[in-house]
Amino acid sequence: MVEATRGPVLIFMFGATGDLARRKLYPALYELFRKDYKFAVIGMARRQHTHESYRSMIDRTLNPSADQRRRFLKRFYYQPLDIGNPNHFVLLKNISDQIDSQYHLKGNRIFYLSLAPRFFGTATIHLKKSGLTETDGWKRLVIEKPFGNNLASARQLNSELLKVFDESEIYRIDHYLGKEMVQNIEALRFANPVFESVWNHRSIANVQITLSETLGVGDRANYYDQTGALLDMVQNHIMQLLTLTAMEPPSQFDPEDIRQEKVKVLKSIRPMSRDNIADKIVRAQYKAGVMPDGTRISGYHEENNINETSDTETFVAARFFIDNYRWTGVPFYIRTGKRMATKCTEVVIEFKDIPNNPYFHKFTHIGPNLLVIHIQPDAGLSLKLNVKQFSDDGETSPVSMNFSRTGKSKNVVPDAYERLLSDCLKGDSTNFTRWDEVAYSWALTDSIVATWNSVPLDYYEAGTMGPKSSDKLLAKDGFRWWPLTRME
Protein backbone atom coordinates (compact mmCIF):
# COMPACT_ATOMS: atom_id res chain seq x y z
CA MET A 1 0.00 0.00 0.00
CA VAL A 2 1.06 3.60 -0.62
CA GLU A 3 2.26 5.38 2.50
CA ALA A 4 0.26 8.56 3.07
CA THR A 5 2.58 11.58 2.80
CA ARG A 6 0.85 14.95 2.80
CA GLY A 7 2.61 17.71 0.90
CA PRO A 8 3.44 20.44 1.57
CA VAL A 9 2.93 21.45 -2.04
CA LEU A 10 2.43 24.35 -4.42
CA ILE A 11 -0.57 23.74 -6.68
CA PHE A 12 -0.62 25.38 -10.12
CA MET A 13 -4.28 25.67 -11.12
CA PHE A 14 -4.57 26.15 -14.89
CA GLY A 15 -8.11 27.16 -15.90
CA ALA A 16 -8.57 28.72 -12.49
CA THR A 17 -11.69 30.73 -13.42
CA GLY A 18 -13.45 27.87 -15.19
CA ASP A 19 -16.62 26.03 -14.24
CA LEU A 20 -14.88 22.89 -12.94
CA ALA A 21 -12.58 24.83 -10.66
CA ARG A 22 -15.44 26.88 -9.21
CA ARG A 23 -17.91 24.02 -8.75
CA LYS A 24 -15.61 21.23 -7.64
CA LEU A 25 -11.96 22.02 -7.10
CA TYR A 26 -12.08 24.97 -4.69
CA PRO A 27 -14.69 23.38 -2.37
CA ALA A 28 -12.63 20.16 -2.41
CA LEU A 29 -9.43 22.02 -1.57
CA TYR A 30 -11.19 23.77 1.31
CA GLU A 31 -12.18 20.42 2.83
CA LEU A 32 -8.58 19.21 2.52
CA PHE A 33 -7.35 22.44 4.14
CA ARG A 34 -9.67 21.76 7.08
CA LYS A 35 -8.02 18.33 7.37
CA ASP A 36 -4.62 19.98 7.72
CA TYR A 37 -3.26 19.40 4.23
CA LYS A 38 -0.52 21.97 3.62
CA PHE A 39 -0.54 23.79 0.28
CA ALA A 40 -0.61 27.11 -1.53
CA VAL A 41 -2.26 27.71 -4.89
CA ILE A 42 -1.45 29.87 -7.91
CA GLY A 43 -4.48 30.28 -10.14
CA MET A 44 -3.99 30.99 -13.84
CA ALA A 45 -6.28 31.94 -16.71
CA ARG A 46 -6.48 34.52 -19.49
CA ARG A 47 -8.97 36.56 -17.46
CA GLN A 48 -7.55 39.52 -15.55
CA HIS A 49 -7.67 39.24 -11.74
CA THR A 50 -5.76 40.60 -8.79
CA HIS A 51 -4.97 38.33 -5.88
CA GLU A 52 -7.88 39.87 -3.97
CA SER A 53 -10.47 39.64 -6.74
CA TYR A 54 -9.42 36.03 -7.36
CA ARG A 55 -9.87 35.24 -3.66
CA SER A 56 -13.30 36.89 -3.74
CA MET A 57 -14.29 34.64 -6.64
CA ILE A 58 -13.16 31.56 -4.68
CA ASP A 59 -14.95 32.78 -1.57
CA ARG A 60 -18.27 32.71 -3.46
CA THR A 61 -17.75 29.01 -4.25
CA LEU A 62 -17.50 28.01 -0.59
CA ASN A 63 -20.26 26.93 1.73
CA PRO A 64 -21.56 29.90 3.76
CA SER A 65 -20.73 27.99 6.95
CA ALA A 66 -17.05 27.63 6.03
CA ASP A 67 -15.40 28.74 9.27
CA GLN A 68 -11.75 28.80 8.13
CA ARG A 69 -12.27 30.67 4.87
CA ARG A 70 -10.04 33.64 5.73
CA ARG A 71 -6.97 31.48 6.48
CA PHE A 72 -7.76 29.34 3.45
CA LEU A 73 -8.12 32.22 0.98
CA LYS A 74 -4.82 33.82 2.00
CA ARG A 75 -3.02 30.89 0.39
CA PHE A 76 -4.37 31.69 -3.08
CA TYR A 77 -2.56 33.86 -5.62
CA TYR A 78 -3.36 34.79 -9.19
CA GLN A 79 -1.23 35.14 -12.32
CA PRO A 80 -2.82 36.05 -15.68
CA LEU A 81 -1.50 33.60 -18.25
CA ASP A 82 -1.75 32.93 -21.97
CA ILE A 83 -0.85 29.27 -22.60
CA GLY A 84 0.79 30.19 -25.90
CA ASN A 85 3.02 32.93 -24.47
CA PRO A 86 6.32 31.54 -23.05
CA ASN A 87 7.10 34.87 -21.34
CA HIS A 88 4.08 34.37 -19.08
CA PHE A 89 5.62 31.15 -17.81
CA VAL A 90 8.81 33.01 -16.90
CA LEU A 91 6.72 35.39 -14.77
CA LEU A 92 4.97 32.36 -13.27
CA LYS A 93 8.36 30.89 -12.35
CA ASN A 94 9.29 34.03 -10.44
CA ILE A 95 6.09 34.18 -8.35
CA SER A 96 6.16 30.42 -7.71
CA ASP A 97 9.70 30.60 -6.28
CA GLN A 98 8.61 33.38 -3.91
CA ILE A 99 5.52 31.46 -2.70
CA ASP A 100 7.49 28.22 -2.36
CA SER A 101 9.95 29.97 -0.06
CA GLN A 102 7.24 31.85 1.89
CA TYR A 103 5.30 28.67 2.79
CA HIS A 104 8.28 26.27 3.02
CA LEU A 105 6.82 23.98 0.33
CA LYS A 106 10.15 22.18 -0.32
CA GLY A 107 9.85 22.40 -4.09
CA ASN A 108 6.88 20.00 -4.26
CA ARG A 109 4.60 20.91 -7.17
CA ILE A 110 1.27 19.79 -8.64
CA PHE A 111 0.28 21.11 -12.06
CA TYR A 112 -3.50 20.77 -12.49
CA LEU A 113 -4.51 21.30 -16.12
CA SER A 114 -8.23 22.12 -16.10
CA LEU A 115 -7.93 22.98 -19.77
CA ALA A 116 -9.10 21.83 -23.18
CA PRO A 117 -6.90 18.86 -24.18
CA ARG A 118 -5.45 20.74 -27.17
CA PHE A 119 -3.53 22.91 -24.68
CA PHE A 120 -1.98 20.04 -22.67
CA GLY A 121 1.12 19.63 -24.82
CA THR A 122 1.80 23.37 -25.14
CA ALA A 123 1.41 23.93 -21.40
CA THR A 124 3.78 21.12 -20.41
CA ILE A 125 6.47 22.17 -22.89
CA HIS A 126 6.40 25.75 -21.56
CA LEU A 127 6.52 24.44 -17.99
CA LYS A 128 9.75 22.66 -18.84
CA LYS A 129 11.36 25.48 -20.83
CA SER A 130 10.66 28.00 -18.06
CA GLY A 131 12.28 25.76 -15.44
CA LEU A 132 9.07 25.22 -13.47
CA THR A 133 9.48 21.43 -13.58
CA GLU A 134 13.10 21.62 -12.38
CA THR A 135 12.63 21.31 -8.65
CA ASP A 136 14.28 19.75 -5.60
CA GLY A 137 10.93 18.27 -4.56
CA TRP A 138 8.48 15.96 -6.33
CA LYS A 139 6.22 17.00 -9.19
CA ARG A 140 2.89 15.66 -10.48
CA LEU A 141 0.69 16.48 -13.46
CA VAL A 142 -3.10 16.17 -13.16
CA ILE A 143 -5.15 16.21 -16.36
CA GLU A 144 -8.86 15.96 -17.02
CA LYS A 145 -10.61 13.90 -19.69
CA PRO A 146 -10.98 13.60 -22.59
CA PHE A 147 -7.52 12.13 -23.15
CA GLY A 148 -7.56 12.32 -26.94
CA ASN A 149 -10.47 11.48 -29.23
CA ASN A 150 -9.12 8.17 -30.55
CA LEU A 151 -6.10 5.94 -30.00
CA ALA A 152 -3.88 7.85 -32.42
CA SER A 153 -4.55 11.26 -30.85
CA ALA A 154 -4.19 9.80 -27.35
CA ARG A 155 -0.77 8.39 -28.27
CA GLN A 156 0.32 11.75 -29.66
CA LEU A 157 -0.84 13.54 -26.51
CA ASN A 158 0.87 10.99 -24.28
CA SER A 159 4.15 11.33 -26.15
CA GLU A 160 4.04 15.10 -25.62
CA LEU A 161 3.49 14.71 -21.88
CA LEU A 162 6.27 12.13 -21.53
CA LYS A 163 8.78 14.68 -22.83
CA VAL A 164 8.32 16.52 -19.55
CA PHE A 165 6.85 14.08 -17.00
CA ASP A 166 7.44 10.41 -16.22
CA GLU A 167 4.43 8.10 -16.42
CA SER A 168 4.52 7.75 -12.62
CA GLU A 169 4.09 11.54 -12.35
CA ILE A 170 1.00 11.75 -14.60
CA TYR A 171 -2.40 11.55 -12.86
CA ARG A 172 -5.20 11.14 -15.44
CA ILE A 173 -8.31 11.95 -13.45
CA ASP A 174 -11.72 10.32 -13.89
CA HIS A 175 -13.99 11.65 -11.16
CA TYR A 176 -16.07 8.45 -11.19
CA LEU A 177 -13.13 6.66 -9.56
CA GLY A 178 -13.51 8.98 -6.56
CA LYS A 179 -17.14 8.10 -5.87
CA GLU A 180 -17.88 6.26 -2.63
CA MET A 181 -19.47 3.12 -4.07
CA VAL A 182 -17.05 2.85 -6.98
CA GLN A 183 -14.22 2.63 -4.46
CA ASN A 184 -16.39 0.23 -2.44
CA ILE A 185 -16.55 -2.32 -5.27
CA GLU A 186 -13.12 -3.64 -4.32
CA ALA A 187 -14.05 -3.94 -0.65
CA LEU A 188 -17.37 -5.58 -1.48
CA ARG A 189 -15.67 -8.23 -3.59
CA PHE A 190 -12.38 -8.92 -1.87
CA ALA A 191 -13.33 -8.40 1.78
CA ASN A 192 -16.37 -10.68 1.55
CA PRO A 193 -15.61 -14.33 0.66
CA VAL A 194 -19.34 -14.96 0.27
CA PHE A 195 -19.28 -12.78 -2.85
CA GLU A 196 -15.82 -13.50 -4.25
CA SER A 197 -16.51 -17.24 -4.18
CA VAL A 198 -19.47 -16.79 -6.55
CA TRP A 199 -18.03 -13.91 -8.61
CA ASN A 200 -17.62 -15.95 -11.80
CA HIS A 201 -19.38 -17.58 -14.76
CA ARG A 202 -20.56 -20.53 -12.69
CA SER A 203 -22.82 -18.34 -10.54
CA ILE A 204 -23.45 -15.10 -12.43
CA ALA A 205 -25.88 -14.94 -15.35
CA ASN A 206 -25.09 -11.39 -16.49
CA VAL A 207 -23.82 -8.00 -15.36
CA GLN A 208 -25.62 -4.73 -16.14
CA ILE A 209 -24.01 -1.30 -15.91
CA THR A 210 -26.22 1.76 -16.34
CA LEU A 211 -25.28 5.42 -16.36
CA SER A 212 -28.42 7.40 -17.18
CA GLU A 213 -28.91 11.16 -17.22
CA THR A 214 -32.06 13.27 -17.24
CA LEU A 215 -30.29 16.35 -18.61
CA GLY A 216 -29.78 17.16 -22.27
CA VAL A 217 -26.63 18.58 -23.80
CA GLY A 218 -27.09 22.05 -22.27
CA ASP A 219 -24.21 24.42 -22.99
CA ARG A 220 -21.98 21.53 -24.13
CA ALA A 221 -23.74 21.22 -27.49
CA ASN A 222 -20.74 22.08 -29.66
CA TYR A 223 -18.54 19.57 -27.84
CA TYR A 224 -21.17 16.87 -27.47
CA ASP A 225 -22.28 16.89 -31.11
CA GLN A 226 -18.71 16.07 -32.11
CA THR A 227 -18.39 13.39 -29.44
CA GLY A 228 -21.62 11.56 -28.61
CA ALA A 229 -22.44 9.14 -25.81
CA LEU A 230 -19.86 6.53 -26.81
CA LEU A 231 -16.83 8.81 -26.46
CA ASP A 232 -18.31 10.97 -23.70
CA MET A 233 -19.30 8.15 -21.31
CA VAL A 234 -18.49 4.63 -22.49
CA GLN A 235 -14.80 5.01 -23.30
CA ASN A 236 -14.01 6.30 -19.82
CA HIS A 237 -16.60 6.12 -17.02
CA ILE A 238 -18.33 2.90 -18.02
CA MET A 239 -15.09 1.12 -18.88
CA GLN A 240 -13.79 1.99 -15.41
CA LEU A 241 -16.90 0.50 -13.78
CA LEU A 242 -16.61 -2.61 -15.95
CA THR A 243 -12.94 -3.22 -15.15
CA LEU A 244 -13.44 -2.80 -11.40
CA THR A 245 -16.36 -5.23 -11.49
CA ALA A 246 -14.55 -7.85 -13.59
CA MET A 247 -10.90 -7.63 -12.46
CA GLU A 248 -9.06 -10.48 -10.77
CA PRO A 249 -7.90 -10.07 -7.16
CA PRO A 250 -4.52 -8.30 -7.25
CA SER A 251 -1.55 -10.13 -5.75
CA GLN A 252 -1.25 -7.20 -3.33
CA PHE A 253 -3.16 -3.97 -2.89
CA ASP A 254 -0.53 -1.79 -4.45
CA PRO A 255 -1.56 0.85 -7.04
CA GLU A 256 0.36 -0.79 -9.87
CA ASP A 257 -0.97 -4.29 -9.10
CA ILE A 258 -4.56 -3.03 -9.01
CA ARG A 259 -4.19 -1.09 -12.24
CA GLN A 260 -2.49 -4.06 -13.90
CA GLU A 261 -5.55 -6.24 -13.21
CA LYS A 262 -7.81 -3.60 -14.75
CA VAL A 263 -5.63 -3.58 -17.87
CA LYS A 264 -5.95 -7.38 -18.14
CA VAL A 265 -9.74 -7.01 -18.29
CA LEU A 266 -9.54 -4.43 -21.08
CA LYS A 267 -7.19 -6.68 -23.04
CA SER A 268 -9.67 -9.56 -22.68
CA ILE A 269 -12.78 -7.73 -23.93
CA ARG A 270 -13.78 -9.22 -27.26
CA PRO A 271 -13.44 -6.53 -29.98
CA MET A 272 -16.31 -5.82 -32.31
CA SER A 273 -16.27 -6.33 -36.06
CA ARG A 274 -18.53 -5.39 -38.93
CA ASP A 275 -19.87 -8.95 -38.97
CA ASN A 276 -21.15 -8.98 -35.38
CA ILE A 277 -21.60 -5.37 -34.27
CA ALA A 278 -25.32 -5.20 -35.19
CA ASP A 279 -26.04 -7.92 -32.60
CA LYS A 280 -23.96 -6.26 -29.89
CA ILE A 281 -24.67 -2.55 -29.92
CA VAL A 282 -27.52 -0.04 -30.09
CA ARG A 283 -27.06 3.62 -30.94
CA ALA A 284 -29.96 6.04 -30.58
CA GLN A 285 -30.93 9.69 -30.29
CA TYR A 286 -33.66 11.23 -28.17
CA LYS A 287 -36.67 12.87 -29.72
CA ALA A 288 -39.41 15.00 -28.14
CA GLY A 289 -41.05 13.52 -25.08
CA VAL A 290 -42.31 14.11 -21.55
CA MET A 291 -40.16 13.66 -18.44
CA PRO A 292 -41.63 11.85 -15.41
CA ASP A 293 -42.27 15.21 -13.70
CA GLY A 294 -44.43 16.32 -16.64
CA THR A 295 -41.85 18.58 -18.29
CA ARG A 296 -42.11 18.52 -22.08
CA ILE A 297 -38.75 18.14 -23.78
CA SER A 298 -37.79 18.96 -27.36
CA GLY A 299 -35.80 16.51 -29.44
CA TYR A 300 -32.03 16.55 -29.83
CA HIS A 301 -32.25 18.35 -33.17
CA GLU A 302 -34.11 21.23 -31.50
CA GLU A 303 -31.34 21.83 -28.93
CA ASN A 304 -29.37 25.06 -29.34
CA ASN A 305 -26.32 24.75 -31.62
CA ILE A 306 -27.25 21.25 -32.84
CA ASN A 307 -27.37 20.64 -36.60
CA GLU A 308 -30.85 19.51 -37.64
CA THR A 309 -29.34 16.64 -39.66
CA SER A 310 -26.98 15.46 -36.89
CA ASP A 311 -26.78 11.70 -36.41
CA THR A 312 -24.80 11.94 -33.15
CA GLU A 313 -25.94 9.31 -30.67
CA THR A 314 -27.24 10.41 -27.27
CA PHE A 315 -27.74 6.80 -26.14
CA VAL A 316 -25.59 3.68 -26.36
CA ALA A 317 -26.31 0.14 -25.20
CA ALA A 318 -23.89 -2.70 -25.82
CA ARG A 319 -23.17 -6.32 -24.98
CA PHE A 320 -19.55 -7.14 -24.18
CA PHE A 321 -17.88 -10.47 -23.51
CA ILE A 322 -14.67 -10.90 -21.52
CA ASP A 323 -12.66 -13.78 -22.91
CA ASN A 324 -11.07 -15.23 -19.79
CA TYR A 325 -11.89 -18.17 -17.56
CA ARG A 326 -13.71 -16.22 -14.83
CA TRP A 327 -16.19 -14.60 -17.20
CA THR A 328 -16.50 -17.02 -20.09
CA GLY A 329 -19.98 -16.78 -21.60
CA VAL A 330 -21.21 -14.04 -19.23
CA PRO A 331 -22.61 -11.01 -21.07
CA PHE A 332 -21.79 -7.56 -19.69
CA TYR A 333 -24.56 -5.16 -20.73
CA ILE A 334 -23.93 -1.42 -20.61
CA ARG A 335 -26.17 1.54 -21.36
CA THR A 336 -25.88 5.27 -21.05
CA GLY A 337 -27.94 8.14 -22.38
CA LYS A 338 -29.28 11.64 -21.99
CA ARG A 339 -32.87 12.74 -21.33
CA MET A 340 -33.70 9.39 -19.77
CA ALA A 341 -36.40 8.78 -17.18
CA THR A 342 -34.07 8.92 -14.18
CA LYS A 343 -30.57 10.02 -13.21
CA CYS A 344 -28.84 6.94 -11.92
CA THR A 345 -25.56 5.04 -12.00
CA GLU A 346 -25.55 1.46 -10.81
CA VAL A 347 -24.13 -2.01 -11.39
CA VAL A 348 -26.50 -5.01 -11.26
CA ILE A 349 -25.16 -8.52 -10.76
CA GLU A 350 -27.80 -11.09 -11.72
CA PHE A 351 -27.11 -14.56 -10.33
CA LYS A 352 -28.01 -17.76 -12.11
CA ASP A 353 -31.01 -19.88 -11.16
CA ILE A 354 -30.40 -23.34 -9.72
CA PRO A 355 -30.99 -25.96 -12.44
CA ASN A 356 -34.19 -27.99 -11.93
CA ASN A 357 -35.02 -26.04 -8.79
CA PRO A 358 -38.42 -27.41 -7.56
CA TYR A 359 -39.25 -24.12 -5.86
CA PHE A 360 -39.57 -22.40 -9.24
CA HIS A 361 -42.47 -24.74 -9.99
CA LYS A 362 -44.08 -24.64 -6.54
CA PHE A 363 -44.20 -20.86 -6.08
CA THR A 364 -45.20 -18.02 -8.39
CA HIS A 365 -43.25 -15.07 -6.99
CA ILE A 366 -39.67 -16.21 -7.26
CA GLY A 367 -37.21 -14.00 -9.09
CA PRO A 368 -33.46 -14.09 -9.59
CA ASN A 369 -31.06 -13.06 -6.84
CA LEU A 370 -29.70 -9.61 -7.62
CA LEU A 371 -26.85 -7.66 -6.09
CA VAL A 372 -27.20 -3.96 -6.96
CA ILE A 373 -24.39 -1.49 -6.35
CA HIS A 374 -25.97 1.98 -6.25
CA ILE A 375 -23.39 4.62 -7.14
CA GLN A 376 -25.55 7.72 -7.61
CA PRO A 377 -27.67 9.57 -6.72
CA ASP A 378 -27.73 7.47 -3.52
CA ALA A 379 -24.73 5.39 -2.53
CA GLY A 380 -25.51 1.92 -1.24
CA LEU A 381 -26.23 -1.75 -1.88
CA SER A 382 -29.29 -3.89 -2.40
CA LEU A 383 -29.37 -7.68 -2.24
CA LYS A 384 -32.59 -9.22 -3.55
CA LEU A 385 -33.58 -12.59 -2.07
CA ASN A 386 -36.60 -14.90 -2.13
CA VAL A 387 -38.11 -15.69 1.28
CA LYS A 388 -41.20 -17.45 2.61
CA GLN A 389 -44.02 -15.15 3.63
CA PHE A 390 -45.34 -15.22 7.19
CA SER A 391 -48.60 -16.85 6.17
CA ASP A 392 -50.28 -20.25 6.09
CA ASP A 393 -50.01 -20.69 2.33
CA GLY A 394 -46.21 -20.61 2.51
CA GLU A 395 -45.92 -18.48 -0.62
CA THR A 396 -42.56 -16.82 -1.28
CA SER A 397 -41.91 -13.21 -2.18
CA PRO A 398 -38.83 -11.21 -3.16
CA VAL A 399 -37.35 -8.94 -0.49
CA SER A 400 -34.32 -6.71 -0.50
CA MET A 401 -31.65 -6.16 2.09
CA ASN A 402 -30.61 -2.55 1.64
CA PHE A 403 -27.62 -0.56 2.83
CA SER A 404 -27.36 3.18 2.25
CA ARG A 405 -25.25 5.92 3.75
CA THR A 406 -27.75 8.57 2.72
CA GLY A 407 -29.08 10.30 5.78
CA LYS A 408 -28.01 7.47 8.09
CA SER A 409 -24.39 8.25 8.85
CA LYS A 410 -22.89 11.01 10.94
CA ASN A 411 -19.79 10.85 8.77
CA VAL A 412 -19.78 13.18 5.80
CA VAL A 413 -18.96 11.30 2.60
CA PRO A 414 -16.13 13.14 0.80
CA ASP A 415 -16.81 14.47 -2.68
CA ALA A 416 -15.16 12.54 -5.51
CA TYR A 417 -12.77 15.40 -6.26
CA GLU A 418 -11.83 15.72 -2.61
CA ARG A 419 -10.88 12.02 -2.54
CA LEU A 420 -8.87 12.22 -5.74
CA LEU A 421 -7.06 15.43 -4.84
CA SER A 422 -6.20 13.86 -1.49
CA ASP A 423 -4.80 10.80 -3.28
CA CYS A 424 -2.73 13.01 -5.56
CA LEU A 425 -1.34 15.00 -2.63
CA LYS A 426 -0.33 11.69 -1.00
CA GLY A 427 1.10 10.22 -4.19
CA ASP A 428 -1.45 7.40 -4.38
CA SER A 429 -2.19 6.69 -8.06
CA THR A 430 -4.58 3.76 -7.49
CA ASN A 431 -7.66 5.65 -8.62
CA PHE A 432 -6.07 7.37 -11.59
CA THR A 433 -5.84 5.97 -15.10
CA ARG A 434 -2.55 4.53 -16.33
CA TRP A 435 -1.53 5.02 -19.96
CA ASP A 436 -2.05 1.40 -21.00
CA GLU A 437 -5.58 1.53 -19.56
CA VAL A 438 -6.27 4.53 -21.77
CA ALA A 439 -4.72 2.84 -24.80
CA TYR A 440 -6.67 -0.44 -24.53
CA SER A 441 -9.91 1.43 -23.84
CA TRP A 442 -9.38 3.55 -26.95
CA ALA A 443 -8.50 0.48 -29.03
CA LEU A 444 -11.83 -1.10 -28.10
CA THR A 445 -13.71 2.15 -28.74
CA ASP A 446 -11.99 2.58 -32.11
CA SER A 447 -13.09 -0.92 -33.13
CA ILE A 448 -16.68 0.16 -32.48
CA VAL A 449 -16.40 3.52 -34.24
CA ALA A 450 -14.81 1.87 -37.29
CA THR A 451 -17.79 -0.39 -37.86
CA TRP A 452 -20.90 1.01 -36.23
CA ASN A 453 -22.04 3.14 -39.14
CA SER A 454 -23.57 -0.13 -40.32
CA VAL A 455 -25.84 0.00 -37.23
CA PRO A 456 -28.94 2.13 -37.98
CA LEU A 457 -29.52 5.09 -35.66
CA ASP A 458 -32.57 4.36 -33.52
CA TYR A 459 -34.71 6.87 -31.61
CA TYR A 460 -36.32 7.07 -28.17
CA GLU A 461 -38.66 9.50 -26.51
CA ALA A 462 -37.21 11.82 -23.90
CA GLY A 463 -38.33 10.65 -20.46
CA THR A 464 -37.97 6.93 -21.24
CA MET A 465 -35.14 4.48 -20.55
CA GLY A 466 -34.08 4.27 -24.18
CA PRO A 467 -35.26 2.63 -27.38
CA LYS A 468 -37.01 -0.76 -27.64
CA SER A 469 -33.95 -2.08 -29.44
CA SER A 470 -32.06 -1.77 -26.15
CA ASP A 471 -34.55 -4.14 -24.50
CA LYS A 472 -34.24 -6.55 -27.42
CA LEU A 473 -30.46 -6.64 -26.95
CA LEU A 474 -30.99 -8.43 -23.63
CA ALA A 475 -34.08 -10.35 -24.70
CA LYS A 476 -31.97 -12.24 -27.25
CA ASP A 477 -30.23 -13.89 -24.29
CA GLY A 478 -33.40 -14.29 -22.20
CA PHE A 479 -32.65 -11.33 -19.89
CA ARG A 480 -34.15 -7.90 -19.14
CA TRP A 481 -32.94 -4.59 -17.79
CA TRP A 482 -33.66 -4.33 -14.09
CA PRO A 483 -35.35 -1.18 -12.75
CA LEU A 484 -33.14 1.68 -11.65
CA THR A 485 -34.70 2.05 -8.25
CA ARG A 486 -33.78 0.83 -4.80
CA MET A 487 -35.66 -2.46 -4.47
CA GLU A 488 -38.01 -2.85 -1.55
Side-chain angles (χ1 to χ4, degrees):
M1 295 296 292
V2 173
E3 182 181 353
T5 54
R6 297 184 178 182
V9 62
L10 177 57
I11 301 174
F12 295 77
M13 186 70 70
F14 290 79
T17 61
D19 181 64
L20 175 65
R22 288 182 282 109
R23 286 190 305 109
K24 295 293 185 181
L25 300 182
Y26 297 133
L29 285 171
Y30 177 76
E31 293 303 320
L32 294 176
F33 179 78
R34 291 180 62 244
K35 296 175 182 177
D36 206 30
Y37 282 74
K38 306 296 185 184
F39 56 81
V41 178
I42 303 177
M44 294 154 288
R46 295 176 67 100
R47 189 170 300 177
Q48 294 296 316
H49 270 293
T50 64
H51 298 324
E52 289 305 319
S53 65
Y54 176 50
R55 291 167 183 168
S56 296
M57 184 202 77
I58 298 170
D59 190 32
R60 293 191 293 272
T61 72
L62 304 180
N63 190 302
S65 64
D67 56 352
Q68 299 182 39
R69 61 200 318 133
R70 186 169 298 177
R71 289 176 51 233
F72 173 70
L73 293 170
K74 283 183 177 179
R75 289 177 168 264
F76 284 78
Y77 300 83
Y78 190 80
Q79 180 66 38
L81 184 135
D82 179 350
I83 293 294
N85 189 334
N87 293 329
H88 286 191
F89 286 80
V90 176
L91 296 174
L92 182 61
K93 173 74 162 56
N94 294 335
I95 187 175
S96 66
D97 289 343
Q98 296 170 18
I99 295 172
D100 188 285
S101 175
Q102 178 181 347
Y103 290 98
H104 309 290
L105 301 177
K106 302 180 181 180
N108 299 326
R109 294 179 174 181
I110 290 177
F111 303 95
Y112 197 119
L113 304 189
S114 180
L115 301 168
R118 67 180 182 274
F119 297 123
F120 290 170
T122 303
T124 54
I125 290 298
H126 287 328
L127 286 174
K128 181 177 181 178
K129 288 183 176 180
S130 64
L132 280 159
T133 58
E134 300 299 321
T135 173
D136 294 332
W138 47 258
K139 65 181 186 295
R140 292 165 194 153
L141 177 71
V142 184
I143 52 178
E144 289 279 345
K145 79 173 186 76
F147 196 85
N149 51 40
N150 54 31
L151 181 55
S153 62
R155 279 178 174 157
Q156 175 62 32
L157 173 56
N158 199 57
S159 68
E160 293 175 354
L161 300 184
L162 290 177
K163 293 176 183 177
V164 183
F165 295 89
D166 294 333
E167 171 63 27
S168 62
E169 297 173 326
I170 301 174
Y171 287 64
R172 301 173 189 85
I173 198 167
D174 183 336
H175 72 277
Y176 263 70
L177 290 179
K179 292 183 179 293
E180 173 71 22
M181 288 310 299
V182 172
Q183 297 196 351
N184 224 318
I185 291 174
E186 291 177 29
L188 176 69
R189 286 188 55 189
F190 304 133
N192 295 286
V194 67
F195 288 132
E196 181 57 21
S197 62
V198 296
W199 211 265
N200 53 59
H201 69 273
R202 292 185 295 274
S203 300
I204 292 177
N206 70 83
V207 177
Q208 301 176 18
I209 300 174
T210 297
L211 198 164
S212 61
E213 300 180 286
T214 55
L215 296 177
V217 295
D219 58 5
R220 299 173 69 227
N222 290 330
Y223 163 79
Y224 192 88
D225 202 43
Q226 300 298 316
T227 305
L230 179 69
L231 303 190
D232 191 43
M233 290 294 183
V234 177
Q235 186 272 331
N236 39 71
H237 300 327
I238 286 183
M239 283 296 115
Q240 290 295 331
L241 294 176
L242 188 151
T243 54
L244 285 171
T245 304
M247 63 184 275
E248 294 292 324
S251 57
Q252 52 186 335
F253 280 92
D254 179 86
E256 291 309 306
D257 289 280
I258 293 171
R259 298 202 290 182
Q260 184 61 32
E261 295 303 333
K262 292 168 66 182
V263 168
K264 289 179 181 178
V265 174
L266 290 170
K267 292 172 67 175
S268 299
I269 296 176
R270 191 181 305 168
M272 296 191 183
S273 67
R274 197 172 301 276
D275 294 333
N276 62 29
I277 193 169
D279 291 328
K280 293 184 177 180
I281 201 160
V282 171
R283 54 194 293 260
Q285 189 182 90
Y286 67 82
K287 57 185 181 180
V290 181
M291 301 299 288
D293 64 0
T295 303
R296 292 190 174 277
I297 300 296
S298 300
Y300 180 71
H301 287 163
E302 284 72 54
E303 296 276 9
N304 291 334
N305 299 317
I306 297 296
N307 191 305
E308 62 181 14
T309 62
S310 172
D311 63 353
T312 298
E313 81 288 349
T314 62
F315 175 95
V316 173
R319 176 177 58 173
F320 293 118
F321 288 94
I322 300 172
D323 290 331
N324 60 23
Y325 178 72
R326 180 183 290 265
W327 297 111
T328 181
V330 177
F332 279 68
Y333 302 106
I334 65 97
R335 62 174 169 174
T336 183
K338 290 191 172 296
R339 290 298 189 198
M340 296 175 74
T342 184
K343 175 181 174 63
C344 190
T345 303
E346 65 182 30
V347 180
V348 179
I349 311 295
E350 180 176 343
F351 293 94
K352 289 182 176 179
D353 297 332
I354 299 174
N356 302 316
N357 185 350
Y359 278 91
F360 280 88
H361 302 288
K362 181 179 180 181
F363 302 113
T364 58
H365 298 294
I366 290 183
N369 292 153
L370 301 174
L371 174 64
V372 185
I373 303 169
H374 304 277
I375 296 170
Q376 67 175 14
D378 297 332
L381 299 170
S382 296
L383 180 61
K384 185 176 180 181
L385 305 171
N386 298 299
V387 299
K388 176 184 172 298
Q389 293 182 357
F390 294 103
S391 61
D392 291 337
D393 60 17
E395 183 60 87
T396 61
S397 62
V399 299
S400 286
M401 300 172 62
N402 296 321
F403 163 73
S404 174
R405 293 181 64 94
T406 305
K408 295 185 178 181
S409 174
K410 295 180 180 179
N411 298 323
V412 176
V413 179
D415 175 79
Y417 273 98
E418 180 186 339
R419 288 180 185 275
L420 295 175
L421 283 171
S422 172
D423 287 346
C424 184
L425 287 165
K426 294 184 292 188
D428 184 349
S429 59
T430 305
N431 295 305
F432 294 83
T433 311
R434 203 169 67 184
W435 161 244
D436 49 356
E437 281 187 74
V438 175
Y440 282 112
S441 180
W442 269 125
L444 175 66
T445 306
D446 283 357
S447 77
I448 296 173
V449 172
T451 57
W452 80 337
N453 282 337
S454 59
V455 179
L457 183 69
D458 202 351
Y459 295 90
Y460 62 102
E461 291 185 3
T464 67
M465 288 309 295
K468 297 296 183 184
S469 52
S470 171
D471 299 324
K472 293 177 181 177
L473 188 69
L474 278 68
K476 295 175 185 177
D477 300 323
F479 301 123
R480 51 166 288 199
W481 291 109
W482 290 100
L484 297 178
T485 56
R486 193 171 304 282
M487 297 172 295
E488 300 298 338

